[in-house]
Amino acid sequence: MRFDTLAVHAGQPPDPAYGAVMTPIYQTSTFAQKRVGEAEYDYARTANPTRTALQQCVAALEGGKHGLAFASGMAAIDTVLRLLRPGDHILASNDVYGGTYRIFKRVYAIYGIHASFVEMGDLDNVRAALQPNTRLVWVETPTNPLLKIADIAALAELVRSHAARPWLVVDNTFASPYLQQPLLLGADIVVHSATKYLGGHSDVVNGVIVLNDDALHAQLKFLQNAVGAVPGPFDCFLVLRGIKTLPLRMERHSANAQRIAEWLAAHPAVSRVFYPGLPDHPGHATARRQMRAFGGMVSFVVKGGAAVARQVVERTRLFTLAESLGGVESLIEVPAAMTHASVADSPLAVDPALIRLSVGIEDVDDLIDDLAQALAIAPTA
Ligand SMILES: *Cc1c(COP(=O)(O)O)cnc(C)c1O
């Protein structure tokens, strides 16, 4: 079946109990056993039918064999990191998600697992930074908040030919499987914050891992149960419902973001725009090759510095001043003071005059009108 059909149906046949067309929310902690040890489900940390549906659905959308769902994107990421041992090394994008940077630096470093950061768009850089003990190469594309692009297929080839044979992990949160399918490009593991585009309505926190390897899946499934950072069934239901409209939403997010990026690029109060759909973006050609469209995230720098950036984000009426992204409603923020405050004094620190938009699915002319009135106070020189 094709993507849009999978989004509606994968993992979700009518319920075997009563034929419910929508996947029931199995709000139970335990399941009756026919005989001792004889049951499809026994305890809901180990498995729950609503969660199974979500896991199978996201796996199908990523073109992968196995899915595992978690209480948050960070819980999914944490579970992947538990595959490592003291002395192992992680090589990551140099503008990786702030929470991912924090878990590397402040949680896993204590256990002797160290991360270093490179520009993933430059393959020679990556090759030079790989170490004999590198176990994970951790990639985001597009990145947050600068929307840098890495070539997933080229990285997969590089990693495969390296003596250490690390696993290539792609955090596919920003693109969603509708725009980009890293496993099909050679990645080993995909992680998601399903809180964002998969859920799509800013009403749930959830995470997913997808992969093909059976042995690695068995290890991660063991960890999912042994560590226990599992999502509740209602959260799984919300993500499943969100996913049904993922293709429609991603088309609109991308079309709106493209229009807004072009409009911002021509605005006299804006000094730079970061959007992979703009032809002068350094990752444009790669993005064209590996993505179906360019997504809903746009960042830009205003003239006048940090103080002006703060004024602009506080003046929008339709764009809500908030962290997070990927919902149907448009959001605006200043990464340096908000989402990226945790990397303020690190190499990942961002320009304090940078503004990030999560472009929603509203009428794009209303969104542009709102940005125009908010930017009216910014200097044009
Ligand atoms: C939000 C986010 C995460 C963390 O996910 P949570 O659901 O907030 O735990 C990880 N990676 C990226 C790219 C994100 O945007």
Side-chain angles (χ1 to χ4, degrees):
M1 280 188 285
R2 294 169 180 82
F3 193 97
D4 296 37
T5 310
L6 292 171
V8 177
H9 294 287
Q12 301 156 84
D15 184 60
Y18 297 106
V21 168
M22 281 303 120
T23 306
I25 300 160
Y26 280 96
Q27 193 70 50
T28 184
S29 61
T30 189
F31 299 83
Q33 308 197 4
K34 289 190 188 66
R35 289 192 180 72
V36 176
E38 197 181 298
E40 193 179 346
Y41 289 92
D42 50 27
Y43 185 61
R45 167 161 41 71
T46 313
N48 173 292
T50 318
R51 191 169 100 210
T52 302
L54 173 61
Q55 294 179 158
Q56 290 179 354
C57 181
V58 181
L61 296 185
E62 286 287 358
K65 198 165 163 194
H66 306 290
L68 293 164
F70 295 86
S72 67
M74 288 317 303
I77 289 168
D78 174 72
T79 305
V80 172
L81 297 179
R82 284 171 193 273
L83 295 168
L84 304 188
R85 298 283 172 273
D88 286 348
H89 171 248
I90 304 162
L91 186 62
S93 302
N94 64 359
D95 64 343
V96 77
Y97 175 69
T100 304
Y101 181 79
R102 183 173 56 194
I103 199 172
F104 290 163
K105 285 295 207 190
R106 298 192 42 200
V107 180
Y108 280 89
I110 295 167
Y111 301 105
I113 294 163
H114 292 284
S116 54
F117 302 88
V118 287
E119 170 67 56
M120 286 283 171
D122 180 340
L123 289 178
D124 291 332
N125 251 348
V126 177
R127 197 174 293 111
L130 283 168
Q131 301 175 14
N133 59 338
T134 304
R135 290 304 302 138
L136 295 181
V137 174
W138 196 281
V139 177
E140 288 174 21
T141 179
T143 63
N144 177 17
L146 294 178
L147 291 312
K148 289 190 216 163
I149 300 294
D151 185 334
I152 298 171
L155 284 167
E157 201 182 306
L158 194 162
V159 156
R160 238 169 258 278
S161 66
H162 192 263
R165 183 57 182 98
W167 293 307
L168 179 63
V169 183
V170 177
D171 181 334
N172 204 25
T173 300
F174 265 45
S176 90
Y178 179 72
L179 298 184
Q180 164 179 292
Q181 294 166 303
L183 296 179
L184 303 184
L185 297 168
D188 298 294
I189 299 173
V190 165
V191 298
H192 274 285
S193 170
T195 311
K196 317 293 170 53
Y197 287 108
L198 290 176
H201 296 75
S202 305
D203 54 9
V204 64
V205 172
N206 189 270
V208 184
I209 299 174
V210 183
L211 74 168
N212 285 317
D213 187 89
D214 293 336
L216 208 50
H217 169 248
Q219 249 177 297
L220 288 165
K221 189 173 154 67
F222 165 80
L223 288 167
Q224 183 193 40
N225 180 50
V227 178
V230 294
F234 184 58
D235 288 358
C236 294
F237 172 85
L238 286 175
V239 179
L240 278 169
R241 186 164 75 163
I243 286 171
K244 290 179 195 296
T245 55
L246 179 70
L248 303 173
R249 287 187 285 107
M250 293 316 294
E251 287 291 348
R252 178 64 89 91
H253 283 300
S254 301
N256 282 0
Q258 183 77 37
R259 269 280 306 281
I260 287 173
E262 287 167 6
W263 180 82
L264 285 169
H267 196 288
V270 172
S271 58
R272 259 193 97 174
V273 181
F274 301 89
Y275 186 67
L278 294 178
D280 63 351
H281 184 286
H284 181 67
T286 306
R288 272 200 103 80
R289 232 184 305 118
Q290 72 188 12
M291 300 176 76
R292 197 199 291 248
F294 303 103
M297 302 300 296
V298 179
S299 295
F300 63 101
V301 178
V302 283
K303 292 179 185 166
V308 171
R310 281 185 184 232
Q311 277 177 282
V312 169
V313 302
E314 288 173 5
R315 280 171 55 91
T316 54
R317 303 184 190 120
L318 187 49
F319 280 86
T320 302
L321 177 57
E323 301 197 358
S324 198
L325 59 110
V328 291
E329 73 295 327
S330 292
L331 304 179
I332 191 166
E333 64 129 1
V334 179
M338 297 171 63
T339 50
H340 290 62
S342 68
V343 294
D345 297 315
S346 80
L348 279 72
V350 294
D351 186 337
L354 186 79
I355 293 174
R356 189 188 77 178
L357 304 177
S358 173
V359 178
I361 64 167
E362 301 95 333
D363 189 307
V364 70
D365 289 323
D366 287 332
L367 296 174
I368 288 174
D369 287 350
D370 190 34
L371 291 171
Q373 66 78 23
L375 279 167
I377 51 104
T380 56

